[in-house]
Structure formats: structure tokens, C-alpha cells
Amino acid sequence: MEKLLYQVEDRPPLATSLLLAIQHLLAALGGIIAVPLVVGGVLRLPPQEMVALVNAALMVSGAVTIVQCRGAGPIGIRLPCVMGTSFTFVAAAIAIGFEHGVAGIMGSSLAASLVMIAGSFFMPQIRKLFPPVVTGTVVSMIGLSLIPVAVDWFAGGQPGSADYANPEHLAIAFFVLVLVIGLVQFGRGIVSAAAIVIGMGVGYLLCLMLGRIDFAPVAQASAFALPQPLHFGMSFPISGIIGMSIAYLVTIVESTGNFLALGQATQTKVSGKQMSAGILCDGVGSAIAAIMSTTPFSSFAQNIGVVSLTGVASRYVVALAGLLLMLAGLFPVFGALIVTIPLPVLGGAGLMMFAMIIVAGVQMLGQVESSRRNGVIIAVAIGCGMAVTVRPEVLGKLPGFVREIFGSGITVSALIALSLNLLLPGRMPLELED
């Protein structure tokens, strides 16, 4: 396995750390603000309410990222893990919002976060259900499920839009992709480590020269904003709490896969105790998010791709990225400037980052014994996970709670791999650290 440029406990010089932290910020920011924008947009919230959701998401994401990386007593996995708002909760949040308003979303999220907090204490037992054949399958599926997102960025929007796959979009994205590959492969030291931010920076300048940057979000953003606790109030509908509880259970499975992928990327053996601390941070962070008036959190898979691609595993670099996220929440104009990055620029770097997660999963599967049993587990789990990822309509006529549980390809893949590993004969006993 290739040696990391910076290990988990390394502290690069401040200027270097800042540059590397910006990479994580760029990779995460779009995902963090997307969830509150989607939820607020569907519920037709007024602009000032949307701003409140987004500012709180950035501020709390930063704070929870710092705790996850550096730890606070029993909370935090102490690995380079970026935290942000999770798409797993979007369907439940919208359903609750239509019936009970944003206050219902926040109250349900707060009450249901106890599911994740309680679940964190059982992670040593859950960790033992993830032998290499399951772990490698889930990590591969995390990368595969992100590829369609990168492709849409690459093409400059969503399928069906008039400008989708415009040749100019593809050319810009391909330019950034080739530049990132070149910097990673032939660069040395900080040039290789900062390949993503350099590639995106050059791509941004190219778009600026081509007149493809829209600065309207910067002009409309306020200079300073302080998130307000309980901005929307709270209510606790039983149906909402049940819906959110299901989403939290799904998130436990997804975060478990992300933490195992992070362990592979950082060349660290993730114990059950660390897993507990990470999931506990997810749960407590989501509770704080509800109080601070935004949607629930989970770990971000895209930033694992940054670690895999650059070899920078320092948790202090990612903690610094958390500080930058907090500043983006306090100074919306800063976040608005990042939002002006064209999608093809993100896509050129994103395709490479997400594909690196697939590589990590394949490397893990390469260490698994070659047998018919393991082949069946891998094939069925990835096949079913991809089915849901590329054709979500396959669940369209099933009950709502079924769609909620099985709407994520990562969750489907993880549950099938876990089940087949337990049910098929020939399972080897696995002993792991607690």
C-alpha cells in the first residue's frame, strides 16, 4: 500500500494545512448547502428562511466536523471526517414539513436523534458484522453511488436541462480532470497533495476568462449572519418522529460504511470503540443541528475521496476545514463565493475523487479469499445496490416506509452483504478489537 503523505496525527505547517483544508471545504460545501436548499425550495420557504437554514447548516457542520476530528471525551472518531447535512433525511423532512411545517421537522429530528445516540453504544457488536468481504463491498458501493453525482456535475446540471452535456461543459470538466491526474501523478509534495484545489482553481480561472461565472449569489449574500437557535420553533408529531427514526437507522448503516472506508483511506484499523464515538458524534451533532435550526447530519463520503486521492490523512487539516465551514456560516458572502464555482469544474475533480473510493473498495476485496460464497455476496450486494442507485423508480410503487429504508444504494448493498454473510454456510468467525 502506498505511503501516506501526511498520517492521521501529523500536523502540516499552517499555510500548507490551510491550502489542504480548502480542498475539503470545496468538496463538501455543495453537499452541505444542497440539503437545506432542496428542503426549503420544495416547502417554498421565503428567502430569509432559506438563508437561516443554510447558515445554520454551515455553522454546525463546521463545529461537528471539529469535534469528530479532534474528539471531545467519548464523542468523535478522531479521524479526518467531514460532517454535513445528509440527503438520507430529505424525503422524511419534506413529508413532515408539508404536514407540520419546519417546526415539525426540527422537533422530529431532535427526538429521533436519540435513536442514533442509543445505537452508538452497540457499535462494537455491529463492527464485528463487517468482515472484509462485507466492508469491501460497502466501500465499493459508496464510490459507485457517487459516480452519477459526479457525472451530472461533469455535464453541468441535471439530465433533461437544456444545457446538460454542453460540449463546453464537457471540455472544461475534462480539462480539470486531466490537470488533477497530472498533478497527482507527476507533482511532488504540496503540489500533489493540493492537486484538487489547484485543478479547481485553474478551472475556475478558465471559466472566469470565458465569462461563465455568475456572481449574483455574492451580490445577494449578506456580509455577516449569526444562526439563531430555535428559529423555526419545534413541534413533535409522532408520525414525524417515526419517519425520522427510520432515516437515522439508515444513516447508522451508511456512516458505518463511511467510517470503514475512511479507515482504509487513512490506513487505520477502525475499532468498535472508535465506531461508537463516531456514531455518537453523528447523533449529538444532529440533535444540535435541530436546536440550531437545520437538518440532520452524517459523515461525508466525498471527502474520503479527497483523502484517498491526495494521501493527506491528517485529522488536524480536516479540523481546520471545519473552522472554515464555521466562518462560511458566519460570513455568508464567503460561502456564496464558493457557490459560484461552475459544476463542470466540480465534476472534473469529483469524478476522480469518487472513483478513488471505488479503488479503495476493490483493494479491500482483493484481500478477500476467492470463493464462490464470497463471489455471490459481492455480486448480489453490488448488483442490488446499483439497481436502486441508477433506477430508483424500481421502488416507486412500494409503501413509503420501504422506499425510505431502501432508497439508498449504499444501505441496500450493506444490508444484503450483511445478511448473506450471516446466512450463507461457510462463514469464518471474526475477532476484532472493541
Side-chain angles (χ1 to χ4, degrees), residues 6-147:
Y6 289 107
Q7 306 284 335
V8 171
E9 297 299 331
D10 288 346
R11 298 179 185 232
L14 182 58
T16 301
S17 293
L18 185 61
L19 186 62
L20 299 176
I22 290 172
Q23 286 192 137
H24 283 281
L25 177 73
L26 294 175
L29 194 71
I32 292 171
I33 66 173
V35 175
L37 287 177
V38 168
V39 172
V42 173
L43 296 179
R44 297 183 179 178
L45 298 182
Q48 63 269 25
E49 304 296 336
M50 297 272 279
V51 169
L53 275 175
V54 170
N55 286 349
L58 290 168
M59 182 77 178
V60 182
S61 290
V64 179
T65 294
I66 293 170
V67 173
Q68 190 75 281
C69 293
R70 304 202 61 158
I75 304 174
I77 196 169
R78 292 170 172 81
L79 289 176
C81 182
V82 174
M83 302 296 294
T85 51
S86 172
F87 269 97
T88 304
F89 297 91
V90 167
I94 290 172
I96 296 165
F98 275 130
E99 194 168 347
H100 304 283
V102 181
I105 297 174
M106 299 306 158
S108 299
S109 175
L110 178 62
S113 68
L114 294 174
V115 170
M116 199 164 204
I117 292 170
S120 70
F121 296 102
F122 298 95
M123 292 313 295
Q125 290 74 31
I126 293 173
R127 174 65 181 93
K128 291 175 183 176
L129 298 175
F130 283 81
V133 66
V134 175
T135 302
T137 300
V138 174
V139 172
S140 299
M141 191 60 224
I142 290 171
L144 288 167
S145 68
L146 289 170
I147 292 297

Side-chain angles (χ1 to χ4, degrees), residues 1-379:
M1 187 173 287
E2 197 168 321
K3 190 176 184 296
L4 293 170
L5 183 63
Y6 289 107
Q7 306 284 335
V8 171
E9 297 299 331
D10 288 346
R11 298 179 185 232
L14 182 58
T16 301
S17 293
L18 185 61
L19 186 62
L20 299 176
I22 290 172
Q23 286 192 137
H24 283 281
L25 177 73
L26 294 175
L29 194 71
I32 292 171
I33 66 173
V35 175
L37 287 177
V38 168
V39 172
V42 173
L43 296 179
R44 297 183 179 178
L45 298 182
Q48 63 269 25
E49 304 296 336
M50 297 272 279
V51 169
L53 275 175
V54 170
N55 286 349
L58 290 168
M59 182 77 178
V60 182
S61 290
V64 179
T65 294
I66 293 170
V67 173
Q68 190 75 281
C69 293
R70 304 202 61 158
I75 304 174
I77 196 169
R78 292 170 172 81
L79 289 176
C81 182
V82 174
M83 302 296 294
T85 51
S86 172
F87 269 97
T88 304
F89 297 91
V90 167
I94 290 172
I96 296 165
F98 275 130
E99 194 168 347
H100 304 283
V102 181
I105 297 174
M106 299 306 158
S108 299
S109 175
L110 178 62
S113 68
L114 294 174
V115 170
M116 199 164 204
I117 292 170
S120 70
F121 296 102
F122 298 95
M123 292 313 295
Q125 290 74 31
I126 293 173
R127 174 65 181 93
K128 291 175 183 176
L129 298 175
F130 283 81
V133 66
V134 175
T135 302
T137 300
V138 174
V139 172
S140 299
M141 191 60 224
I142 290 171
L144 288 167
S145 68
L146 289 170
I147 292 297
V149 176
V151 171
D152 288 341
W153 289 351
F154 207 95
Q158 293 298 314
S161 61
D163 218 21
Y164 188 81
N166 182 310
E168 191 169 320
H169 290 166
L170 300 180
I172 292 168
F174 188 72
F175 170 76
V176 173
L177 174 62
V178 170
L179 183 57
V180 170
I181 292 171
L183 292 170
V184 169
Q185 189 64 34
F186 303 109
R188 292 290 178 269
I190 187 61
V191 174
S192 177
I196 296 168
V197 71
I198 294 172
M200 290 177 67
V202 174
Y204 188 90
L205 289 175
L206 175 63
C207 290
L208 189 62
M209 289 188 292
L210 293 172
R212 300 188 63 86
I213 307 294
D214 179 11
F215 287 105
V218 179
Q220 295 166 5
S222 54
F224 180 81
L226 198 63
Q228 298 178 353
L230 304 175
H231 176 79
F232 299 99
M234 279 194 179
S235 62
F236 300 91
I238 297 299
S239 60
I241 293 171
I242 292 171
M244 279 290 184
S245 295
I246 293 171
Y248 275 112
L249 288 171
V250 171
T251 303
I252 289 176
V253 177
E254 291 187 354
S255 289
T256 298
N258 285 342
F259 292 151
L260 293 172
L262 189 58
Q264 175 75 6
T266 59
Q267 300 176 15
T268 303
K269 186 175 182 180
V270 180
S271 67
K273 184 177 180 182
Q274 277 182 290
M275 202 80 79
S276 290
I279 297 294
L280 182 58
C281 188
D282 274 26
V284 172
S286 294
I288 294 171
I291 294 170
M292 294 299 295
S293 310
T294 195
T295 53
F297 284 8
S298 70
S299 53
F300 265 28
Q302 52 263 51
N303 292 87
I304 301 169
V306 177
V307 175
S308 299
L309 184 60
T310 62
V312 178
S314 169
R315 61 192 178 109
Y316 298 100
V317 165
V318 178
L320 182 56
L323 182 60
L324 294 178
L325 282 169
M326 291 182 71
L327 290 175
L330 290 172
F331 301 96
V333 68
F334 174 66
L337 184 62
I338 304 297
V339 172
T340 64
I341 297 174
L343 287 178
V345 174
L346 287 172
L351 191 64
M352 185 77 173
M353 289 188 299
F354 301 161
M356 287 302 295
I357 301 176
I358 302 174
V359 171
V362 171
Q363 289 174 339
M364 295 169 80
L365 291 174
Q367 300 168 15
V368 173
E369 179 191 358
S370 179
S371 68
R372 183 178 298 176
R373 178 185 186 277
N374 288 339
V376 167
I377 293 172
I378 297 165

